[in-house]
Amino acid sequence: KTCQCGSNLALHCYHVTAFVWYHSLSKKASILSYNNKIYSVSIGNNKIYTKTYDTKWHTVSINEFADTSNITNIDLIEVKGNLYLLESQYEKIAVYQFYDNNWKEITKLSDTNGVSGYKKYNDELYLTNIDKSGKNIEIFKLENDIWKSIKKYNCNNEFVGDPKIEIVNDILYSIN
């Protein structure tokens, strides 16, 4: 299938599409521009597959992972010059840092139903999370590799949906 990327970008778009299609068989994937390369991760078969692309794809690492069957989402994000992986499951949201070609878990939230939203702002990472009951939302900021609670909302015994974060004029908004 041809991408609608423009003549100069078509080749890059084709390769990215082919790579993501191939690794979509192994479950979840994410992609990000970092240090003048494209980084891609996919998770499946109890492994994290990390690749980079400059002029062609290179396998950087294949790391063992305890269990990939309950993962609901993964996202790559760069904060303060470091590469992070946010991994959501029904019972936890974990943050991994990429260091020496390996992923190291630095923190996690346990009171979650696996549904969250995140936003990078002023080189800081914010997360909105729905608790296990599905009726409360909490907003966190990653500080010194620990999630610090900023605000908790009780949603009046109503189930909440898919939370999102946006920041406008230095004011953080969260919807669900």
Side-chain angles (χ1 to χ4, degrees), residues 30 44-45 49 51 61 105 111 119 122 135 145:
S30 185
N45 305 320
Y49 304 89
K51 294 194 174 224
S61 67
E105 183 177 300
D111 187 15
K119 188 70 155 182
N122 284 340
K135 298 177 183 176
D145 296 338

Side-chain angles (χ1 to χ4, degrees), residues 86 93 115-119 126-129 162-165:
L86 279 70
I93 298 171
V115 179
S116 65
Y118 72 91
K119 188 70 155 182
Y126 295 86
L127 177 89
T128 183
N129 174 58
D162 190 8
K164 303 293 181 201
I165 289 180

Side-chain angles (χ1 to χ4, degrees), residues 52-154:
T52 60
Y53 181 85
D54 44 28
T55 58
K56 64 180 183 172
W57 286 107
H58 305 275
T59 298
V60 176
S61 67
I62 301 174
N63 302 111
E64 295 295 321
F65 199 78
D67 182 15
T68 58
S69 63
N70 292 322
I71 294 173
T72 58
N73 193 40
I74 62 171
D75 285 295
L76 285 173
I77 189 165
E78 179 271 327
V79 178
K80 296 182 181 177
N82 297 308
L83 185 60
Y84 293 95
L85 174 67
L86 279 70
E87 172 249 340
S88 299
Q89 295 187 23
Y90 293 110
E91 296 184 12
K92 75 172 184 172
I93 298 171
V95 180
Y96 299 84
Q97 184 176 7
F98 196 63
Y99 182 76
D100 284 340
N101 292 336
N102 289 298
W103 291 103
K104 176 185 171 195
E105 183 177 300
I106 60 167
T107 191
K108 67 181 172 185
L109 288 176
S110 297
D111 187 15
T112 183
N113 70 357
V115 179
S116 65
Y118 72 91
K119 188 70 155 182
K120 177 183 166 181
Y121 178 69
N122 284 340
D123 219 18
E124 301 282 341
L125 183 58
Y126 295 86
L127 177 89
T128 183
N129 174 58
I130 299 175
D131 70 1
K132 286 181 183 178
S133 75
K135 298 177 183 176
N136 298 296
I137 297 175
E138 194 163 3
I139 298 173
F140 295 89
K141 179 180 177 182
L142 188 63
E143 285 187 1
N144 300 318
D145 296 338
I146 297 172
W147 287 116
K148 177 184 174 191
S149 178
I150 295 175
K151 182 82 174 170
K152 188 170 187 173
Y153 298 93
N154 180 310

Side-chain angles (χ1 to χ4, degrees), residues 3 6 24-25 35 38 40 43 54 75 81 105 116 134-135 138:
C3 295
S24 68
L25 299 174
N35 284 347
I38 295 174
S40 179
I43 294 183
D54 44 28
D75 285 295
E105 183 177 300
S116 65
K135 298 177 183 176
E138 194 163 3

